[in-house]
Amino acid sequence: MSKPLSEFYTAGRTALSFEFFPPKTPRGETLLYEHVGRLMACQPDFVTCTYGAGGSTRDKTLEVVCHIKQQYDIPVASHLTLVNSTVDQLRAYLQRATDNHINYIVALRGDPPAGQRVFQAAPGGLQYANQLVELVRDEYSHFGIAVAGYPETHVEAPNPQVDLDNLKRKVDAGADVVITQLFYDNADFFRFRDRCRAMGITVPIVPGMLPVTNLQQVQRIVSLCGANLPAKFLARLRERPDDASWHFDVGVEQAIGQAQQLIEQGIDGLHFYVLNKSQATMQILSQLALHPTDC
Ligand code: FAD
């Protein structure tokens, strides 16, 4: 029996989770597990692994979370999206996750597959993440469920209120926790959280953090998900456009300041998009003194 997901987020402590992605090459896999090993010193409460666009990496996602669970005896969450899957295929995945003692599911719609501008449910599939939450709640109720929230509003939503109504639908369907999209201006997060609370979303809302370690990479991610990089922060990064170690240091410093302010103002937890690396996250956490760690 897994610890209920919401129980990590109790008053007086900041829960910690790390998100990995399935490696594409044997070298990537070796590096992933090296970094996972180092990150365990930070004593995360649980870790997650993304589900590749198009469902292309579904076997690998399960393999990564199973490996980490076996190696470190830590709770794990598999992300799962609706892309290119019938309901029966979603059920089959959830059954395999059950058989492998996966603890939690991060229930997502997924982005439209390459070549599609608008998300279309696969024939015999589902259209929105709230339907996946319902499926998991109804048929695989042993899983804790996390869903995605968007401090700066999901790119396809016509306005923030509609997006929040849709988030509430996911929570009402049975989600235990909301993990947010990355953001760099805490005001966006606090405004989002206040609005969630005002409309009766009471589950933990966990900020997702992606420390900048490479300007080009972050600009690409930000252009995909619509997050805003504050002008001052961007200007500092651009002071030395070709200096990778400068970007790393400025990004880590910004993330420490951002996380410190989030913790001071009271958050349920922190979710790090670690991108299969450990240096930045460990440097940030060592400054935050969240857990008694060797981090
Ligand atoms: P939904 O909640 O279904 O929302 C999608 C859009 O539809 C929104 O604009 C929403 O407002 C609207 N909407 C929702 N419900 C309804 C409804 N009932 N009626 C009308 N409109 C509605 N992507 C991956 O491919 N793999 C991953 O592993 C992955 N992990 C992620 C983890 C986190 C923490 C986050 C924040 C995102 C992740 N993503 C991942 C990206 C995510 O799949 C995309 O942002 C996707 O475009 C939306 O997914 P969703 O689950 O939020 O969708």
Side-chain angles (χ1 to χ4, degrees):
M1 187 70 181
S2 304
K3 175 169 171 165
L5 192 47
S6 56
E7 281 186 14
F8 290 114
Y9 303 97
T10 51
R13 76 188 286 279
T14 307
L16 197 56
S17 51
F18 297 146
E19 177 176 315
F20 302 100
F21 64 83
K24 290 202 176 75
T25 62
R27 172 89 184 126
E29 184 158 336
T30 305
L31 289 174
L32 164 67
Y33 293 126
E34 276 176 29
H35 289 291
V36 168
R38 292 189 200 126
L39 282 165
M40 287 301 139
C42 302
Q43 299 176 12
D45 292 287
F46 65 95
V47 304
T48 83
C49 183
T50 62
Y51 193 81
S56 51
T57 61
R58 65 184 67 154
D59 290 340
K60 208 72 194 165
T61 300
L62 211 47
E63 193 185 303
V64 168
V65 285
C66 287
H67 180 102
I68 297 175
K69 189 173 174 68
Q70 279 163 12
Q71 193 84 18
Y72 300 100
D73 193 21
I74 181 176
V76 293
S78 169
H79 295 217
L80 176 59
T81 77
L82 308 177
V83 179
N84 290 341
S85 285
T86 63
V87 173
D88 281 343
Q89 286 170 323
L90 295 170
R91 284 195 183 104
Y93 188 88
L94 290 163
Q95 189 54 51
R96 285 175 63 206
T98 302
D99 296 343
N100 283 284
H101 310 290
I102 302 312
N103 306 86
Y104 312 121
I105 297 292
V106 183
L108 302 142
R109 185 198 71 179
D111 287 320
Q116 277 181 28
R117 282 190 57 244
V118 178
F119 183 88
Q120 282 172 338
L126 302 174
Q127 180 70 33
Y128 295 113
N130 65 288
Q131 297 169 305
L132 179 58
V133 177
E134 276 167 30
L135 177 73
V136 178
R137 249 320 143 251
D138 289 350
E139 300 183 25
Y140 300 87
S141 57
H142 48 279
F143 286 122
I145 305 174
V147 292
Y150 301 87
E152 297 176 72
T153 305
H154 185 256
V155 284
E156 293 166 36
N159 60 58
Q161 191 54 51
V162 168
D163 205 28
L164 288 167
D165 290 341
N166 290 325
L167 175 60
K168 184 149 192 319
R169 228 187 288 270
K170 293 193 275 196
V171 174
D172 290 346
D176 301 295
V177 170
V178 175
I179 300 177
T180 79
Q181 184 58 279
L182 57 93
F183 60 93
Y184 294 93
D185 185 343
N186 286 346
D188 290 321
F189 174 79
F190 290 122
R191 193 178 314 111
F192 168 75
R193 193 178 62 173
D194 288 349
R195 295 187 72 172
C196 287
R197 297 297 183 231
M199 58 191 290
I201 296 174
T202 56
V203 298
I205 299 176
V206 182
M209 290 198 62
L210 171 56
V212 170
T213 52
N214 171 326
L215 183 57
Q216 284 74 27
Q217 175 194 40
V218 168
Q219 278 176 329
R220 191 169 53 80
I221 293 171
V222 162
S223 74
L224 287 176
C225 72
N228 162 44
L229 276 177
K232 258 169 80 176
F233 177 39
L234 204 51
R236 273 202 82 211
L237 290 168
R238 284 183 174 149
E239 276 172 33
R240 301 192 202 167
D242 300 318
D243 186 340
S245 76
W246 170 258
H247 296 158
F248 184 93
D249 291 346
V250 170
V252 165
E253 185 189 297
Q254 191 276 346
I256 291 168
Q258 189 183 353
Q260 241 154 9
Q261 194 197 37
L262 288 166
I263 292 166
E264 278 159 22
Q265 299 202 21
I267 45 167
D268 297 303
L270 280 173
H271 180 78
F272 279 90
Y273 298 102
V274 300
L275 299 182
N276 295 7
K277 299 213 166 80
S278 53
Q279 295 91 331
T281 305
M282 292 181 77
Q283 233 169 288
I284 294 159
L285 289 172
S286 69
Q287 297 294 312
L288 295 176
L290 276 184
H291 294 239
T293 73
D294 299 324
C295 209

